[in-house]
Amino acid sequence: MVGPALSESEYLSRQSAFLGQLPESSLVLIPTNPVTYRSNDTVYPYRANSYMLYLCGWSEPEAVLMAHHEASEWVTTLFVQPRDTKAELWEGRRVGVEGAALGWPVDRTCSIGKLSDCVSEFLDDCESVYYLPDLNPELDELVSRTQAVELADPTTALDDMRVIKSDAEVAMIQQSSDIASEAHIAAMRATSPGIAEWEIQSVIEAVFTARRSCWAYQSIVGGGENATILHYKSNNNRIADGDLVLVDAGCEVSGYASDITRTWPVSGKFSDQQREIYELVLKAQMAGIDACQAGSVWLSMHRATSVVLAQGLIELGILDCTVEEAIGDDMEFNGPYRNFFMHGTGHMLGLDVHDVGGGRQGDKDEGPILQPGMVVTVEPGLYFGSWRDDIEIPDRYAGIGVRIEDDVLVTADGPVVLTSGCPKTIEEIEALVGSEG
Ligand code: GLY
Ligand code: MN
Ligand code: MN
């Protein structure tokens, strides 16, 4: 039986910090994610709901965490699938009601079969219900039938907590980052001209599996022009000698994600044009990392990468305007540089790869203030897809796509790059690619 990922005291302090913000007359219902079907009776790999993982570390399906106030304190109840030999014979072992009581940080455990009866009683007695809808139809039905109670959103309070990572969470993200770094290094070493995208994917994911993790999102392995498709994931092309390959792949350890992108030449040597774009993206990425300072607004990172990229695009003769014009009036981020850098600079990272919190680059809103304990990605890129019919692509750079992405912890003493084990300078990459022989 695999227990919760973190210490009991960490979960209990999260629960009391969350519940302490709610009126005592309320009821909390956090269902986990449903099992989803891929085809006929074949299911997608199961992943528990991140709020469930955050509050009590329970990772089996068909579960609901409930909290109610009783005799001047909050009481937590975890509804889980009961032991059932016939079901376990087909689907695998379950922790069960007694196992959950022994190993998980909740006051009471109960069979999920008793959910309706039990919850109906508490719903009758509460004034508001803090509820995650659309995950558990049985609960949706129960809650919707209870007209007297006010529905409230638990995610506002929980997201404020989740956005600041504890030391134990940072340690998990570090482990995940180390495995993903190792995977990228293995893929660089195994790369030689003629390699296919799926072959690089298999090297990456073999490391994830060997280290008892799994991918946090579908691995992107884009060779040549495919590197210019932001969410490319078919990974079904052979890569021509002389092309770059862009690999965006991260894994998950006990629910915590890493998210790394590296771009390298399959031949082991950057061409002049590839080098010009790579050096520019790397310079922008370093500026973005430098901007991850406690006390700065979220948008600082995007400002920093945008200024470097816009300046570089002008110096390379790709844009013919001022930096301000390239970025857009009033730093709107909608100027012509956006033709080549069309996504944000980063996002929060944690239990979700695109974790809670953070801001949206391009909004007028400057986003939240960066604080120690936040983990963010910094991932500028430049993309010159010659297949595009919406803009003119400069011949010299046609077909090049480069993104460089690291995971960064904000601290009082400045940014700490959790993925620093993954090489990214041109010299390091040229030394590694193909070195497996
Ligand atoms: N891998 C998804 C992203 O970089 O945001
Ligand atoms: Mn990312
Ligand atoms: Mn990524």
Side-chain angles (χ1 to χ4, degrees), residues 217 248 259-261 345-349 353-354 377-379 403 405-407:
Y217 54 91
D248 184 345
D259 185 4
I260 298 182
T261 307
T345 288
H347 49 85
M348 298 284 185
L349 184 73
V353 65
H354 292 170
T377 67
V378 181
E379 49 178 304
R403 178 164 68 254
E405 174 173 28
D406 279 307
D407 304 340

Side-chain angles (χ1 to χ4, degrees), residues 94-258:
R94 295 177 177 177
V95 171
V97 178
E98 291 77 22
L102 287 174
W104 271 260
V106 289
D107 299 310
R108 299 175 190 169
T109 58
C110 190
S111 167
I112 192 76
K114 299 194 179 132
L115 183 73
S116 285
D117 287 350
C118 195
V119 168
S120 302
E121 221 173 274
F122 287 108
L123 275 171
D124 287 343
D125 289 342
C126 72
E127 287 173 14
S128 54
V129 52
Y130 285 78
Y131 179 53
L132 289 183
D134 303 325
L135 293 173
N136 183 316
E138 184 183 355
L139 266 191
D140 284 347
E141 165 74 17
L142 273 177
V143 171
S144 69
R145 265 198 272 132
T146 317
Q147 279 155 9
V149 298
E150 182 199 339
L151 288 187
D153 180 5
T155 65
T156 313
L158 286 170
D159 291 355
D160 280 349
M161 295 167 55
R162 278 180 56 183
V163 89
I164 306 293
K165 273 67 184 179
S166 68
D167 291 349
E169 289 182 293
V170 171
M172 290 289 171
I173 301 173
Q174 182 69 71
Q175 262 188 48
S176 178
S177 299
D178 290 346
I179 295 169
S181 298
E182 185 184 331
H184 279 256
I185 291 170
M188 287 182 209
R189 289 171 57 82
T191 298
S192 59
I195 196 166
E197 293 166 348
W198 66 86
E199 289 168 343
I200 293 181
Q201 178 185 0
S202 76
V203 174
I204 295 262
E205 293 177 8
V207 175
F208 292 170
T209 309
R211 296 277 173 262
R212 298 187 76 187
S213 72
C214 58
W215 47 257
Y217 54 91
Q218 286 184 60
S219 306
I220 295 171
V221 183
E225 295 266 5
N226 295 336
T228 68
I229 299 169
L230 302 179
H231 289 165
Y232 178 79
K233 45 191 165 310
S234 30
N235 302 351
N236 59 1
N237 278 271
R238 220 161 254 297
I239 309 169
D241 193 6
D243 276 353
L244 294 174
V245 60
L246 181 155
V247 178
D248 184 345
C251 59
E252 191 176 284
V253 172
S254 298
Y256 288 88
S258 52

